[in-house]
Amino acid sequence: RVCLDMLRSRKSRHEESLDAQLSERIANRQDENDPEHEALLTDSVGLALLVVLEALAPAERVAFVLHDLFAVPFDEIAPILGRSSTAARQLASRGRRRVHGADTVSDADFFDQHQVVSAFLNATRFGDFDALLAVLDPDVVRRADAVVVPAGGSTIERGAANVAAGAIVAARRAPDSRLAWVNGGLGFVWAPDGEPRIVLSFTIARGKITAIDVIADPARLSQLVPTYLDR
């Protein structure tokens, strides 16, 4: 309700929209003349904002967004939350600390990670060995929970060629993986029945995947809360 009132107020006074601010930031990048790059970066900025907001509890999110983004006074936020003005102020402050202290990345870094992880996903789906090698660091390490390792196999695999070959085989056993923000970074989640069964978490440096963690142990999975980015 408060947000709708803010939008209606644009009819009576000029306000610079968030879209305009984002467009200006995108235009200042080196690839400003590349429409495809601009579209991808715009998507990444939106996804990065989604990740940040979903790191907050619902009440924190409301207080933080209304006060810090819309400048709504705490006296007006309090009845919306059913809390006192002091409590609303504390919620906004807590949300602000979480946003600034969370393990988030810049828009540019998020965009670069998105490019690398998406390339990995496409390469595994199409069985493109060379494309996989292009995004893997030569010394990449793949660590996997024992529950997904075939009998006699190793939980640790090293080297781009070995990891690429294993990734192609694994992709056939776990199709329809979804891109998600998980475990502090971008990764994949395989949830055939709506519950995560296998999670791939990536470590990326200098545009290459340097480590892959395959999480399948139920105890570890229960501690993860994926934020799906393909919705």
Side-chain angles (χ1 to χ4, degrees):
R1 184 176 65 251
V2 174
C3 293
L4 286 174
D5 290 341
M6 291 286 183
L7 291 174
R8 293 190 186 103
S9 71
R10 292 182 178 177
K11 295 180 180 180
S12 58
R13 58 192 174 94
H14 173 72
E15 293 181 359
E16 185 180 3
S17 70
L18 178 61
D19 291 338
Q21 297 176 30
L22 292 178
S23 297
E24 181 179 355
R25 293 175 64 186
I26 293 171
N28 288 333
R29 290 181 61 90
Q30 292 180 352
D31 298 325
E32 59 180 340
N33 295 322
D34 185 350
E36 180 180 5
H37 181 276
E38 291 184 6
L40 288 172
L41 183 56
T42 301
D43 287 343
S44 295
V45 170
L47 294 176
L49 179 60
L50 174 66
V51 168
V52 170
L53 291 181
E54 292 209 0
L56 306 182
E60 293 173 347
R61 188 182 310 139
V62 171
F64 171 73
V65 170
L66 289 181
H67 181 267
D68 286 38
L69 300 187
F70 286 96
V72 178
F74 287 116
D75 289 343
E76 296 182 23
I77 297 175
I80 296 174
L81 295 174
R83 311 283 182 90
S84 66
S85 296
T86 301
R89 184 185 301 275
Q90 292 174 344
L91 286 168
S93 177
R94 190 185 310 158
R96 194 179 305 114
R97 287 197 302 270
R98 283 197 180 189
V99 167
H100 291 294
D103 294 328
T104 56
V105 294
S106 67
D107 298 338
D109 288 342
F110 189 93
F111 174 78
D112 293 338
Q113 285 192 29
H114 194 281
Q115 293 269 71
V116 172
V117 174
S118 296
F120 179 93
L121 178 60
N122 291 332
T124 55
R125 283 177 173 172
F126 292 102
D128 192 332
F129 187 80
D130 291 336
L132 270 177
L133 292 181
V135 296
L136 293 174
D137 185 88
D139 298 319
V140 63
V141 177
R142 188 272 292 153
R143 297 177 289 264
D145 286 341
V147 294
V148 291
V149 176
S154 174
T155 58
I156 298 179
E157 196 75 69
R158 300 180 185 277
N162 293 332
V163 172
I168 291 175
V169 173
R172 300 192 187 107
R173 297 198 299 263
D176 303 323
S177 296
R178 299 178 62 187
L179 185 64
W181 183 267
V182 63
N183 203 27
L186 285 173
F188 302 140
V189 177
W190 183 54
D193 54 0
E195 292 293 328
R197 299 300 178 188
I198 299 176
V199 170
L200 267 66
S201 177
F202 297 90
T203 301
I204 300 173
R206 300 177 299 279
K208 300 283 187 178
I209 297 172
T210 59
I212 303 174
D213 289 287
V214 183
I215 303 170
D217 181 85
R220 296 182 66 193
L221 288 173
S222 65
Q223 299 176 5
L224 302 178
V225 182
T227 299
Y228 295 104
L229 305 182
D230 55 355
R231 58 187 180 184

